[in-house]
Coordinates of all heavy atoms in Angstrom, one line a residue:
M1 N 22.6 -57.6 65.8 CA 21.7 -57.7 66.9 C 22.4 -58.3 68.1 O 23.0 -59.3 68.0 CB 20.5 -58.6 66.5 CG 19.4 -58.7 67.6 SD 18.5 -57.2 67.6 CE 17.1 -57.7 68.5
P2 N 22.4 -57.6 69.2 CA 23.1 -58.1 70.4 C 22.4 -59.3 71.0 O 21.3 -59.6 70.8 CB 23.0 -56.9 71.4 CG 21.8 -56.1 70.9 CD 21.7 -56.3 69.4
S3 N 23.2 -60.1 71.6 CA 22.7 -61.3 72.2 C 21.8 -61.0 73.4 O 21.9 -60.0 74.0 CB 23.9 -62.2 72.7 OG 24.5 -61.6 73.8
T4 N 21.0 -62.0 73.8 CA 20.2 -61.8 74.9 C 20.9 -61.6 76.2 O 20.5 -60.7 77.0 CB 19.3 -63.1 75.1 OG1 18.6 -63.3 73.8 CG2 18.3 -62.9 76.2
A5 N 22.1 -62.2 76.3 CA 22.9 -62.0 77.5 C 23.4 -60.6 77.6 O 23.4 -60.0 78.7 CB 24.1 -63.0 77.5
V6 N 23.7 -60.0 76.5 CA 24.2 -58.6 76.5 C 23.0 -57.7 76.9 O 23.2 -56.8 77.8 CB 24.8 -58.2 75.2 CG1 25.1 -56.7 75.1 CG2 26.0 -59.0 74.9
Q7 N 21.9 -57.9 76.3 CA 20.7 -57.1 76.7 C 20.3 -57.2 78.1 O 20.0 -56.2 78.8 CB 19.5 -57.5 75.8 CG 19.7 -57.1 74.3 CD 18.5 -57.7 73.5 OE1 17.9 -58.7 73.8 NE2 18.3 -57.0 72.4
Q8 N 20.4 -58.5 78.6 CA 20.0 -58.7 80.1 C 21.1 -58.0 81.0 O 20.7 -57.4 82.0 CB 20.0 -60.2 80.4 CG 18.8 -60.9 79.7 CD 18.9 -62.4 79.9 OE1 19.9 -62.9 80.3 NE2 17.8 -63.0 79.6
F9 N 22.3 -58.1 80.6 CA 23.4 -57.4 81.4 C 23.1 -55.9 81.4 O 23.2 -55.2 82.4 CB 24.8 -57.7 80.9 CG 25.8 -56.9 81.5 CD1 26.1 -57.0 82.9 CD2 26.5 -55.9 80.8 CE1 27.1 -56.2 83.5 CE2 27.5 -55.1 81.4 CZ 27.8 -55.3 82.7
L10 N 22.8 -55.3 80.2 CA 22.6 -53.9 80.1 C 21.4 -53.4 80.9 O 21.3 -52.4 81.5 CB 22.6 -53.4 78.7 CG 23.9 -53.6 77.9 CD1 23.7 -53.2 76.5 CD2 25.0 -52.8 78.6
Q11 N 20.4 -54.3 80.9 CA 19.2 -54.0 81.7 C 19.5 -54.0 83.2 O 19.1 -53.1 84.0 CB 18.1 -55.0 81.4 CG 17.4 -54.8 80.1 CD 16.5 -55.9 79.7 OE1 16.3 -56.9 80.5 NE2 15.8 -55.8 78.6
H12 N 20.3 -55.0 83.6 CA 20.8 -55.0 85.0 C 21.6 -53.8 85.3 O 21.4 -53.1 86.4 CB 21.6 -56.3 85.2 CG 22.1 -56.5 86.6 ND1 22.1 -57.7 87.2 CD2 22.6 -55.7 87.5 CE1 22.5 -57.7 88.4 NE2 22.9 -56.4 88.6
L13 N 22.5 -53.4 84.4 CA 23.3 -52.2 84.6 C 22.5 -51.0 84.8 O 22.8 -50.1 85.6 CB 24.3 -52.1 83.4 CG 25.2 -50.9 83.4 CD1 26.1 -50.9 84.6 CD2 26.0 -50.9 82.1
S14 N 21.4 -50.8 84.0 CA 20.6 -49.6 84.1 C 19.9 -49.5 85.4 O 19.5 -48.4 85.8 CB 19.6 -49.6 82.9 OG 18.6 -50.6 83.2
R15 N 19.7 -50.6 86.2 CA 19.0 -50.6 87.5 C 20.0 -50.6 88.7 O 19.5 -50.5 89.8 CB 18.1 -51.8 87.6 CG 17.0 -51.9 86.5 CD 16.1 -53.1 86.8 NE 16.8 -54.3 87.0 CZ 17.1 -55.2 86.1 NH1 16.6 -55.0 84.9 NH2 17.7 -56.3 86.4
D16 N 21.3 -50.8 88.4 CA 22.2 -51.0 89.6 C 23.3 -49.9 89.6 O 24.3 -49.9 88.9 CB 22.9 -52.3 89.4 CG 23.7 -52.7 90.6 OD1 24.2 -51.9 91.3 OD2 24.0 -54.0 90.7
P17 N 23.1 -48.9 90.5 CA 24.0 -47.7 90.6 C 25.4 -48.2 90.9 O 26.4 -47.6 90.4 CB 23.4 -46.8 91.6 CG 22.0 -47.3 91.8 CD 21.9 -48.7 91.4
L18 N 25.6 -49.2 91.8 CA 26.9 -49.6 92.2 C 27.6 -50.3 91.0 O 28.8 -50.0 90.8 CB 26.8 -50.6 93.3 CG 28.2 -51.2 93.8 CD1 29.1 -50.1 94.3 CD2 27.9 -52.2 95.0
L19 N 26.9 -51.0 90.2 CA 27.5 -51.6 89.0 C 27.9 -50.6 88.0 O 28.9 -50.7 87.3 CB 26.5 -52.6 88.4 CG 27.0 -53.4 87.1 CD1 28.3 -54.2 87.4 CD2 25.9 -54.3 86.6
Q20 N 27.1 -49.5 87.9 CA 27.4 -48.4 87.0 C 28.7 -47.8 87.4 O 29.5 -47.5 86.5 CB 26.3 -47.4 87.0 CG 25.0 -47.9 86.4 CD 23.8 -46.9 86.7 OE1 24.0 -45.7 87.0 NE2 22.6 -47.4 86.5
V21 N 29.0 -47.6 88.6 CA 30.2 -47.0 89.1 C 31.4 -48.0 88.7 O 32.4 -47.5 88.2 CB 30.2 -46.8 90.6 CG1 31.6 -46.4 91.1 CG2 29.2 -45.7 91.0
K22 N 31.2 -49.3 88.9 CA 32.3 -50.2 88.5 C 32.5 -50.2 87.0 O 33.7 -50.3 86.6 CB 31.9 -51.6 89.0 CG 31.9 -51.8 90.5 CD 31.4 -53.2 90.8 CE 31.4 -53.5 92.3 NZ 31.0 -54.8 92.7
V23 N 31.5 -50.2 86.2 CA 31.6 -50.1 84.8 C 32.4 -48.9 84.3 O 33.2 -48.9 83.5 CB 30.3 -50.3 84.1 CG1 30.4 -50.0 82.6 CG2 29.7 -51.7 84.3
Q24 N 32.0 -47.7 84.9 CA 32.7 -46.5 84.6 C 34.1 -46.5 85.0 O 35.0 -45.8 84.3 CB 31.9 -45.3 85.2 CG 30.6 -45.1 84.6 CD 29.8 -44.0 85.3 OE1 30.1 -43.5 86.3 NE2 28.7 -43.6 84.7
A25 N 34.5 -47.2 86.0 CA 35.9 -47.3 86.4 C 36.7 -48.3 85.6 O 37.9 -48.3 85.6 CB 36.0 -47.7 87.9
A26 N 36.0 -49.2 84.9 CA 36.7 -50.2 84.0 C 37.4 -49.5 82.9 O 36.9 -48.5 82.3 CB 35.7 -51.2 83.5
I27 N 38.6 -50.0 82.5 CA 39.4 -49.4 81.4 C 39.1 -50.1 80.1 O 39.1 -49.4 79.1 CB 40.9 -49.4 81.8 CG1 41.1 -48.6 83.0 CG2 41.7 -49.0 80.6 CD1 42.5 -48.6 83.6
T28 N 38.9 -51.4 80.1 CA 38.7 -52.1 78.8 C 37.3 -52.8 78.8 O 36.7 -53.0 79.8 CB 39.7 -53.2 78.7 OG1 39.5 -54.2 79.7 CG2 41.1 -52.6 78.7
A29 N 36.9 -53.1 77.6 CA 35.6 -53.8 77.4 C 35.7 -55.2 78.1 O 34.7 -55.7 78.6 CB 35.3 -54.0 75.9
D30 N 36.9 -55.8 78.1 CA 37.1 -57.1 78.7 C 36.8 -57.0 80.2 O 36.3 -57.9 80.8 CB 38.5 -57.7 78.4 CG 38.6 -58.2 77.0 OD1 37.5 -58.5 76.4 OD2 39.7 -58.2 76.5
E31 N 37.2 -55.9 80.8 CA 37.0 -55.7 82.3 C 35.5 -55.6 82.5 O 35.0 -56.1 83.5 CB 37.7 -54.4 82.8 CG 39.2 -54.6 82.9 CD 39.8 -53.3 83.4 OE1 39.2 -52.4 84.0 OE2 41.1 -53.2 83.2
V32 N 34.7 -54.9 81.7 CA 33.3 -54.8 81.8 C 32.7 -56.2 81.6 O 31.8 -56.6 82.4 CB 32.7 -53.8 80.8 CG1 31.2 -53.8 80.9 CG2 33.3 -52.4 81.0
A33 N 33.2 -56.9 80.6 CA 32.7 -58.3 80.4 C 32.9 -59.2 81.6 O 32.1 -60.0 82.0 CB 33.3 -58.9 79.2
M34 N 34.0 -59.0 82.3 CA 34.3 -59.8 83.5 C 33.3 -59.4 84.6 O 32.9 -60.3 85.3 CB 35.8 -59.5 84.0 CG 36.8 -60.2 83.1 SD 38.5 -59.9 83.5 CE 38.6 -60.5 85.2
L35 N 32.9 -58.2 84.7 CA 31.9 -57.8 85.7 C 30.6 -58.5 85.3 O 29.9 -59.0 86.2 CB 31.7 -56.3 85.7 CG 32.9 -55.4 86.3 CD1 32.7 -53.9 86.0 CD2 33.0 -55.7 87.7
A36 N 30.3 -58.5 84.1 CA 29.0 -59.2 83.6 C 29.1 -60.7 83.9 O 28.1 -61.3 84.4 CB 28.8 -59.0 82.1
Q37 N 30.3 -61.3 83.7 CA 30.4 -62.7 83.9 C 30.3 -63.0 85.4 O 29.8 -64.1 85.8 CB 31.7 -63.2 83.3 CG 31.7 -63.1 81.8 CD 33.1 -63.3 81.2 OE1 34.1 -63.7 81.9 NE2 33.2 -63.0 79.9
E38 N 30.8 -62.2 86.2 CA 30.7 -62.4 87.7 C 29.2 -62.4 88.1 O 28.9 -63.0 89.1 CB 31.4 -61.3 88.5 CG 32.9 -61.4 88.4 CD 33.7 -60.2 89.0 OE1 33.0 -59.3 89.6 OE2 34.9 -60.2 88.9
L39 N 28.4 -61.8 87.4 CA 26.9 -61.7 87.7 C 26.2 -62.8 86.9 O 25.0 -62.9 87.0 CB 26.4 -60.4 87.3 CG 26.9 -59.2 88.1 CD1 26.5 -57.9 87.5 CD2 26.4 -59.3 89.6
G40 N 26.9 -63.7 86.2 CA 26.3 -64.8 85.5 C 25.9 -64.6 84.1 O 25.2 -65.4 83.5
Y41 N 26.3 -63.4 83.5 CA 25.9 -63.1 82.1 C 27.1 -63.6 81.2 O 28.3 -63.3 81.5 CB 25.7 -61.6 81.9 CG 24.5 -61.1 82.7 CD1 24.8 -60.4 83.9 CD2 23.2 -61.3 82.3 CE1 23.7 -59.9 84.6 CE2 22.2 -60.9 83.1 CZ 22.4 -60.2 84.2 OH 21.4 -59.7 85.0
T42 N 26.8 -64.3 80.1 CA 27.8 -64.7 79.2 C 28.1 -63.7 78.1 O 27.5 -63.7 77.0 CB 27.4 -66.1 78.5 OG1 26.2 -65.9 77.9 CG2 27.4 -67.2 79.5
V43 N 28.9 -62.7 78.5 CA 29.2 -61.5 77.7 C 30.7 -61.4 77.5 O 31.4 -61.7 78.4 CB 28.6 -60.2 78.4 CG1 29.1 -59.0 77.7 CG2 27.1 -60.3 78.6
S44 N 31.1 -61.1 76.3 CA 32.5 -60.9 76.0 C 32.8 -59.4 75.7 O 31.8 -58.7 75.4 CB 33.0 -61.7 74.8 OG 32.4 -61.2 73.6
G45 N 34.0 -59.0 75.8 CA 34.4 -57.7 75.5 C 34.0 -57.3 74.0 O 33.6 -56.2 73.7
S46 N 34.2 -58.3 73.1 CA 33.8 -58.1 71.7 C 32.4 -57.8 71.6 O 31.9 -57.0 70.7 CB 34.3 -59.3 70.9 OG 35.6 -59.4 70.9
D47 N 31.5 -58.6 72.3 CA 30.1 -58.3 72.3 C 29.8 -56.9 72.6 O 28.9 -56.2 71.9 CB 29.3 -59.2 73.3 CG 29.4 -60.7 73.0 OD1 29.6 -61.1 71.8 OD2 29.2 -61.5 73.9
L48 N 30.4 -56.4 73.6 CA 30.2 -55.0 74.0 C 30.7 -54.0 73.0 O 30.0 -53.0 72.7 CB 30.8 -54.8 75.4 CG 30.2 -55.6 76.6 CD1 31.1 -55.5 77.8 CD2 28.8 -55.1 76.9
L49 N 31.9 -54.3 72.5 CA 32.4 -53.3 71.5 C 31.6 -53.2 70.2 O 31.5 -52.2 69.5 CB 33.9 -53.7 71.1 CG 34.9 -53.5 72.2 CD1 36.2 -54.1 71.9 CD2 35.0 -52.0 72.6
M50 N 30.9 -54.3 69.9 CA 30.0 -54.3 68.7 C 28.8 -53.4 68.9 O 28.2 -53.0 67.9 CB 29.6 -55.7 68.4 CG 30.7 -56.7 68.0 SD 31.6 -56.2 66.5 CE 30.4 -56.6 65.3
L51 N 28.5 -53.0 70.1 CA 27.4 -52.1 70.4 C 27.8 -50.6 70.4 O 27.0 -49.8 70.8 CB 26.8 -52.5 71.7 CG 26.1 -53.8 71.7 CD1 25.6 -54.1 73.1 CD2 24.9 -53.9 70.7
D52 N 29.0 -50.3 70.1 CA 29.5 -48.9 70.1 C 28.5 -48.0 69.5 O 28.1 -48.2 68.3 CB 30.9 -48.8 69.4 CG 31.4 -47.4 69.5 OD1 31.2 -46.7 70.4 OD2 32.1 -47.0 68.5
G53 N 28.2 -46.9 70.2 CA 27.3 -45.9 69.7 C 25.8 -46.2 69.8 O 25.0 -45.4 69.4
Q54 N 25.5 -47.4 70.3 CA 24.1 -47.8 70.4 C 23.5 -47.6 71.8 O 24.3 -47.5 72.8 CB 23.9 -49.2 69.9 CG 24.3 -49.4 68.5 CD 24.1 -50.9 68.1 OE1 23.3 -51.6 68.6 NE2 24.9 -51.4 67.2
H55 N 22.2 -47.5 71.9 CA 21.5 -47.5 73.1 C 20.8 -48.8 73.3 O 20.1 -49.3 72.4 CB 20.4 -46.4 73.2 CG 21.0 -45.0 73.2 ND1 21.3 -44.3 74.3 CD2 21.4 -44.2 72.1 CE1 21.8 -43.1 74.0 NE2 21.8 -43.0 72.7
E56 N 21.0 -49.4 74.4 CA 20.3 -50.7 74.8 C 19.9 -50.6 76.2 O 20.7 -50.2 77.1 CB 21.3 -51.9 74.6 CG 21.6 -52.2 73.2 CD 20.5 -52.8 72.4 OE1 19.6 -53.4 73.0 OE2 20.5 -52.7 71.2
A57 N 18.6 -50.9 76.4 CA 18.1 -50.9 77.8 C 18.3 -49.6 78.6 O 18.6 -49.6 79.8 CB 18.6 -52.1 78.6
G58 N 18.3 -48.5 77.9 CA 18.6 -47.2 78.5 C 20.0 -46.9 78.8 O 20.3 -45.9 79.5
V59 N 20.9 -47.7 78.3 CA 22.4 -47.5 78.5 C 23.0 -47.3 77.1 O 22.8 -48.0 76.2 CB 23.0 -48.8 79.1 CG1 24.5 -48.7 79.2 CG2 22.4 -49.1 80.4
R60 N 23.8 -46.2 77.1 CA 24.5 -45.9 75.8 C 25.9 -46.5 75.9 O 26.6 -46.3 76.9 CB 24.7 -44.4 75.7 CG 25.4 -44.1 74.4 CD 25.6 -42.6 74.2 NE 26.5 -42.3 73.1 CZ 26.0 -42.1 71.8 NH1 24.8 -42.1 71.6 NH2 26.9 -41.9 70.9
V61 N 26.2 -47.3 74.9 CA 27.5 -48.0 74.9 C 28.5 -47.2 74.0 O 28.2 -46.9 72.9 CB 27.4 -49.4 74.3 CG1 28.7 -50.1 74.2 CG2 26.3 -50.2 75.0
T62 N 29.6 -46.8 74.6 CA 30.6 -45.9 73.9 C 31.9 -46.6 74.0 O 32.4 -46.8 75.1 CB 30.6 -44.5 74.6 OG1 29.3 -44.0 74.5 CG2 31.5 -43.6 73.8
R63 N 32.6 -46.8 72.9 CA 33.9 -47.3 72.9 C 34.9 -46.1 73.0 O 34.8 -45.1 72.3 CB 34.1 -48.0 71.5 CG 35.5 -48.6 71.4 CD 35.7 -49.2 70.0 NE 36.9 -49.9 69.9 CZ 38.1 -49.4 69.6 NH1 38.1 -48.1 69.3 NH2 39.1 -50.1 69.5
V64 N 35.9 -46.3 73.8 CA 36.9 -45.3 74.0 C 38.1 -45.7 73.3 O 38.6 -46.8 73.6 CB 37.2 -45.0 75.5 CG1 38.3 -44.0 75.7 CG2 35.9 -44.6 76.2
D65 N 38.7 -44.9 72.4 CA 39.9 -45.3 71.7 C 41.1 -45.0 72.6 O 41.2 -44.0 73.2 CB 40.1 -44.4 70.4 CG 39.1 -44.8 69.4 OD1 38.8 -46.0 69.2 OD2 38.6 -43.9 68.7
H66 N 41.9 -46.1 72.7 CA 43.1 -46.0 73.5 C 44.3 -46.0 72.5 O 44.3 -46.7 71.5 CB 43.3 -47.1 74.5 CG 42.2 -47.1 75.5 ND1 42.2 -46.2 76.6 CD2 41.1 -47.8 75.7 CE1 41.2 -46.4 77.3 NE2 40.4 -47.4 76.8
P67 N 45.4 -45.3 72.8 CA 46.6 -45.3 72.0 C 47.1 -46.7 71.8 O 47.1 -47.5 72.8 CB 47.6 -44.4 72.7 CG 46.8 -43.6 73.6 CD 45.6 -44.4 74.0
G68 N 47.5 -47.1 70.6 CA 48.1 -48.4 70.4 C 47.0 -49.4 69.9 O 47.4 -50.5 69.5
E69 N 45.8 -49.1 69.9 CA 44.7 -50.0 69.5 C 44.7 -49.9 67.9 O 45.1 -49.0 67.3 CB 43.4 -49.7 70.1 CG 43.3 -50.1 71.5 CD 41.9 -50.0 72.0 OE1 41.1 -49.2 71.5 OE2 41.5 -50.8 72.9
Y70 N 44.1 -51.0 67.4 CA 43.9 -51.0 65.9 C 42.6 -50.4 65.5 O 41.5 -50.9 65.9 CB 43.9 -52.5 65.4 CG 45.2 -53.2 65.8 CD1 45.3 -54.1 66.7 CD2 46.4 -52.8 65.1 CE1 46.5 -54.8 67.1 CE2 47.6 -53.5 65.4 CZ 47.6 -54.4 66.4 OH 48.8 -55.1 66.7
P71 N 42.6 -49.2 64.8 CA 41.3 -48.6 64.4 C 40.5 -49.5 63.5 O 41.1 -50.2 62.7 CB 41.8 -47.4 63.7 CG 43.2 -47.2 64.0 CD 43.8 -48.5 64.4
G72 N 39.2 -49.5 63.8 CA 38.3 -50.3 62.9 C 38.3 -51.8 63.2 O 37.6 -52.6 62.6
R73 N 39.0 -52.2 64.3 CA 39.0 -53.6 64.6 C 37.7 -54.2 64.9 O 37.4 -55.4 64.6 CB 40.0 -53.9 65.7 CG 40.2 -55.3 66.1 CD 41.2 -55.4 67.2 NE 41.4 -56.8 67.6 CZ 42.1 -57.2 68.6 NH1 42.8 -56.4 69.3 NH2 42.1 -58.5 68.9
Y74 N 36.8 -53.5 65.6 CA 35.6 -54.0 66.1 C 34.3 -53.5 65.4 O 33.2 -53.7 65.8 CB 35.4 -53.8 67.6 CG 36.5 -54.5 68.4 CD1 37.6 -53.8 68.9 CD2 36.4 -55.9 68.6 CE1 38.6 -54.5 69.6 CE2 37.4 -56.6 69.3 CZ 38.4 -55.9 69.8 OH 39.4 -56.5 70.5
Y75 N 34.6 -52.7 64.3 CA 33.4 -52.2 63.6 C 33.7 -52.1 62.1 O 34.8 -52.4 61.6 CB 33.0 -50.8 64.1 CG 34.2 -49.9 64.3 CD1 34.5 -49.0 63.3 CD2 34.9 -49.8 65.5 CE1 35.6 -48.1 63.5 CE2 35.9 -49.0 65.7 CZ 36.3 -48.1 64.7 OH 37.3 -47.2 64.8

C-alpha cells in the first residue's frame, strides 16, 4: 500500500499539467521524487518504483528499464 505522501503527490500530479511535463522529462524515479520533495511531499524514488504498473489518483506509474540496472531490484 503506498504511503499517504505518495498518494497526495500523485493527486497533485493529476491536477497540474506543468508538473506532468516535468515528471515526463525526468529520467529517474529519484528525479521525480525530488520534484515531489520540492512541493513538500516526503516521497522517495523507491516509493515510486514500488508502484510500477499501478494506477493511483488517475496516474499510471510505469518503471522504465535502463541499461545497467539490476532487474527485479524494486519488485
Side-chain angles (χ1 to χ4, degrees):
M1 184 75 163
S3 71
T4 303
V6 172
Q7 290 174 336
Q8 291 173 349
F9 171 66
L10 293 176
Q11 288 172 357
H12 184 138
L13 177 61
S14 70
R15 297 185 310 263
D16 188 337
L18 180 59
L19 182 58
Q20 292 170 17
V21 169
K22 290 179 181 180
V23 166
Q24 289 174 352
I27 295 175
T28 66
D30 287 336
E31 288 179 16
V32 176
M34 287 176 60
L35 291 169
Q37 292 167 12
E38 289 173 4
L39 295 169
Y41 300 101
T42 54
V43 174
S44 72
S46 295
D47 292 338
L48 295 167
L49 289 172
M50 296 299 284
L51 294 176
D52 179 35
Q54 298 181 29
H55 291 270
E56 289 289 335
V59 176
R60 181 180 172 94
V61 180
T62 304
R63 180 181 187 278
V64 177
D65 289 322
H66 294 283
E69 286 190 329
Y70 301 107
R73 181 176 178 187
Y74 297 102
Y75 47 91

